Amino acid sequence: MKAFSERNLIGQELKSSRFMARIFISMNTELRLMLPRDIYFRAQVLCDDVYELTEERFKLGHLVEMLWSDFIDYVRRKQDIKATYKLLLEYDQGTPNVRLNKYDEKNIEEVPLYPVRKKPVDDEIETFFCRMKRKEALRGEVMLSDIAQVFPNHPFTLERVLEILLIDFIVKYSKGESQEIVYKLLRDRE
């Protein structure tokens, strides 16, 4: 079965049927996100701003968690695999993809289904390790597996979806289009 994240949680779940192996599975997992350095910097500044306003610690991982939660709630409400795939394609085409250089490697089976005509991304990439509840990450892999039932060669992984959500949010925020989401963040933290 195809892996839908670097962690391949579905593969682990299907493989580990022994009771003792399941006891020692961690409740959290760590995902590696790759972001353009300017987006990473802007995201850190936003987190600092939220900290200043709430006087509570707010990390980039919290922002990723909240964006993921909003996205997965949208997917649950919509219950439309084709619409979700179309949305991911639109967001993917509109955001820088620092993972594209991997598509040139011979051992990578995944290739974009659409022509890539994006502005070239600077070689300055920031790698960010994000902790997520294993259950939430597994839900993301299952969603991508469901999409693969309809679109078998889709290029998405859980990490790329998280990158898309974060990059799209930061770009919109820097243009003043996501201010209400920040206010929601502040209300939720109170």
Side-chain angles (χ1 to χ4, degrees):
M1 175 180 232
K2 178 180 174 181
F4 295 102
S5 80
E6 291 175 0
R7 295 288 179 203
N8 190 15
L9 299 176
I10 291 177
Q12 291 175 15
E13 287 291 318
L14 295 176
K15 180 173 61 173
S16 64
S17 60
R18 296 181 315 178
F19 178 72
M20 287 304 286
R22 296 184 73 69
I23 289 177
F24 296 107
I25 292 176
S26 174
M27 297 295 285
N28 295 312
T29 190
E30 190 173 69
L31 303 169
R32 181 174 57 111
L33 306 184
M34 296 164 45
L35 304 168
R37 191 159 281 153
D38 66 323
I39 297 291
Y40 179 79
F41 173 72
R42 287 177 186 267
Q44 292 288 29
V45 169
L46 173 63
C47 292
D48 290 343
D49 289 347
V50 171
Y51 170 74
E52 291 292 324
L53 292 169
T54 63
E55 295 181 2
E56 289 184 37
R57 197 167 172 197
F58 189 78
K59 293 181 172 182
L60 187 53
H62 296 125
L63 179 59
V64 170
E65 215 175 283
M66 294 176 101
L67 292 171
W68 176 248
S69 179
D70 283 348
F71 178 74
I72 212 68
D73 285 345
Y74 167 81
V75 169
R76 285 180 182 136
R77 284 191 316 272
K78 195 79 165 164
Q79 290 292 315
D80 185 351
I81 293 297
K82 290 180 181 178
T84 301
Y85 180 68
K86 183 179 177 188
L87 180 69
L88 287 173
L89 275 179
E90 288 172 10
Y91 277 18
D92 189 34
Q93 291 175 355
T95 59
N97 187 344
V98 297
R99 293 178 182 268
L100 285 177
N101 59 354
K102 285 189 170 187
Y103 296 134
D104 294 333
E105 296 175 10
K106 301 277 189 239
N107 60 348
I108 299 295
E109 296 174 6
E110 302 168 6
V111 294
L113 297 176
Y114 50 87
V116 179
R117 292 192 178 95
K118 299 177 191 175
K119 292 185 276 183
V121 178
D122 294 344
D123 287 336
E124 295 186 22
I125 297 168
E126 192 70 39
T127 301
F128 166 66
F129 291 93
C130 172
R131 293 193 61 76
M132 179 181 268
K133 292 180 183 170
R134 182 181 175 84
K135 180 180 173 182
E136 293 297 316
L138 190 56
R139 174 64 182 101
E141 284 192 25
V142 168
M143 176 196 68
L144 293 171
S145 175
D146 291 347
I147 291 173
Q149 298 298 316
V150 180
F151 303 99
N153 295 321
H154 77 77
F156 298 109
T157 62
L158 178 59
E159 291 87 357
R160 179 60 189 145
V161 172
L162 293 172
E163 291 165 0
I164 290 169
L165 294 174
L166 183 58
I167 291 168
D168 181 68
F169 175 78
I170 295 300
V171 168
K172 286 180 179 172
Y173 179 76
S174 68
K175 294 178 182 176
E177 298 173 12
S178 298
Q179 302 302 338
E180 67 279 352
I181 296 174
V182 174
Y183 295 129
K184 180 186 180 292
L185 290 174
L186 295 174
R187 281 194 311 271
D188 291 348
R189 304 272 307 165
E190 292 177 352

